[in-house]
Amino acid sequence: MTSDSMDYQKILEGIYSAVEPLKGVGKVADYIPALALVAPDKFGMCINTIDGDVYLINDACERFSIQSISKVFTLAMCLSLKGEALWNRVGKEPSGTAFNSLVQLEVENGIPRNPFMNAGALVLADILLTSLEDPEQEFLAFVRELCGSESVDYNREVALSERKCAYLNAAIVNMLKYHKTIECDVERVLQFYLLTCSLEMNCKELAQAFLAFANHKKTFSYAGVSLTSSQVKRMNAVMQTCGFYDEAGEFSYLVGLPGKSGVGGGIAAIYPLRYSVAVWSPRLNAKGNSVMGMKALELLTTETAESIF
Ligand code: GLU
């Protein structure tokens, strides 16, 4: 089957039938109290092609907490602001450790391995706080323009609920401050980081937002955030190598697409110059990735034979 004749709607329906038996497998992220209340067996998926077609299934229009997927948006803003100099503050190597690990940060003198682990994203939050006049509103304006939806918003209740139990993130931000990797007050950085994680989007909006990364030949310019096609290419490379916690290798092996997951159960990924895809199902595996989401994406690239490998 060629890409043009691909019946993505039928493929999505087939995927849903295949992943449905996984309902009940895995656990929702209950370390964030507000997320423990989410209906665990939801499933939504959306594919957006670069030709403008949109294919949806099940709960694809229901919003959820995007959590770490937001790190892709903060990275885009920081790259636009700082260019290559960004990489003096944060690395771009896979970590092989959990998203909230402190181990490497201590050994590597306070420079996080990559922008998609919590330590790295806290540095991104510090960069936005020190570079923008109104970071909260500017971040929101960027994401809204990227996904074409003005009603996308933070969920302050989720951010507050996470703050109450954010012991590890507080430890990380303090270690960053000790090593002078961040400039702002630790509490300010932590709260802004948690706020960006609390953003709620649905699969349709996420797939639309990621289309800009799938189509790196089109000008990337949204709400004052501009990236060259080379920068978009590099962001996709970081998604490929670092986007799935300490399961980035497994995701590459099973799915073979650059992307990013979040503990809210969302995953967004791209097939360059062809489509973006977002999937959501709240139950997570032991590494923090959505059980049904990963399987659905594995089936998508296997069925279509469309992956970057
Ligand atoms: N706000 C979450 C945390 O910092 C994000 C984790 C994630 O989605 O990977 O723990």
Side-chain angles (χ1 to χ4, degrees), residues 35-302:
L35 292 191
L37 308 173
V38 172
D41 292 314
K42 293 275 177 181
F43 177 87
M45 191 163 178
C46 177
I47 295 175
N48 275 33
T49 71
I50 66 168
D51 303 323
D53 297 317
V54 178
Y55 303 89
L56 303 162
I57 194 155
N58 290 34
D59 306 313
C61 293
E62 184 167 330
R63 288 195 175 137
F64 59 92
S65 194
I66 71 163
Q67 292 297 322
S68 277
I69 302 174
S70 63
K71 293 170 183 166
V72 174
F73 306 138
T74 42
L75 176 61
M77 288 186 95
C78 289
L79 252 190
S80 163
L81 285 163
K82 300 289 174 195
E84 284 296 292
L86 173 67
W87 305 117
N88 299 328
R89 305 264 308 263
V90 57
K92 45 180 147 48
E93 290 295 338
S95 69
T97 57
F99 61 97
N100 52 9
S101 169
L102 261 171
V103 176
Q104 283 165 347
L105 199 58
E106 181 165 26
V107 180
E108 296 174 2
N109 302 318
I111 303 293
R113 271 286 171 97
N114 68 63
F116 291 153
M117 53 195 310
N118 290 7
L122 285 158
V123 173
L124 300 182
D126 183 65
I127 291 173
L128 296 185
L129 286 169
T130 49
S131 313
L132 303 174
E133 244 165 62
D134 188 345
E136 278 190 24
Q137 284 315 313
E138 289 176 57
F139 179 76
L140 205 51
F142 168 55
V143 179
R144 283 176 172 170
E145 195 166 316
L146 202 56
C147 74
S149 172
E150 276 305 303
S151 61
V152 160
D153 215 337
Y154 303 117
N155 183 330
R156 289 174 194 275
E157 224 174 280
V158 169
L160 271 178
S161 132
E162 186 171 3
R163 176 63 194 96
K164 288 191 184 130
C165 308
Y167 306 113
L168 262 180
N169 283 324
I172 293 170
V173 80
N174 276 289
M175 188 167 310
L176 291 168
K177 187 72 177 174
Y178 171 80
H179 285 286
K180 301 191 170 47
T181 317
I182 58 168
E183 289 175 34
C184 291
D185 168 63
V186 288
E187 188 56 38
R188 194 156 172 245
V189 175
L190 185 53
Q191 285 189 17
F192 180 57
Y193 161 76
L194 297 178
L195 191 66
T196 56
C197 287
S198 81
L199 208 65
E200 292 185 332
M201 297 172 78
N202 59 38
C203 290
K204 186 166 180 243
E205 290 159 341
L206 261 183
Q208 179 63 39
F210 271 68
L211 203 57
F213 300 100
N215 198 357
H216 63 272
K217 297 206 172 159
K218 188 175 159 248
T219 309
F220 189 110
S221 181
Y222 300 88
V225 178
S226 303
L227 296 174
T228 64
S229 64
S230 163
Q231 285 175 315
V232 174
K233 177 190 79 176
R234 291 176 203 285
M235 282 203 50
N236 294 342
V238 180
M239 283 193 234
Q240 183 71 40
T241 51
C242 311
F244 295 89
Y245 315 123
D246 43 342
E247 210 171 32
E250 184 74 357
F251 190 84
S252 268
Y253 178 79
L254 294 175
V255 179
L257 298 176
K260 183 74 199 86
S261 58
V263 296
I267 304 178
I270 58 151
Y271 180 53
L273 300 180
R274 178 70 193 144
Y275 65 72
S276 56
V277 55
V279 59
W280 169 56
S281 186
R283 287 188 193 269
L284 309 178
N285 66 19
K287 305 275 179 162
N289 291 312
S290 167
V291 172
M292 280 167 93
M294 258 181 92
K295 190 69 191 170
L297 291 171
E298 180 192 350
L299 291 169
L300 174 67
T301 56
T302 303

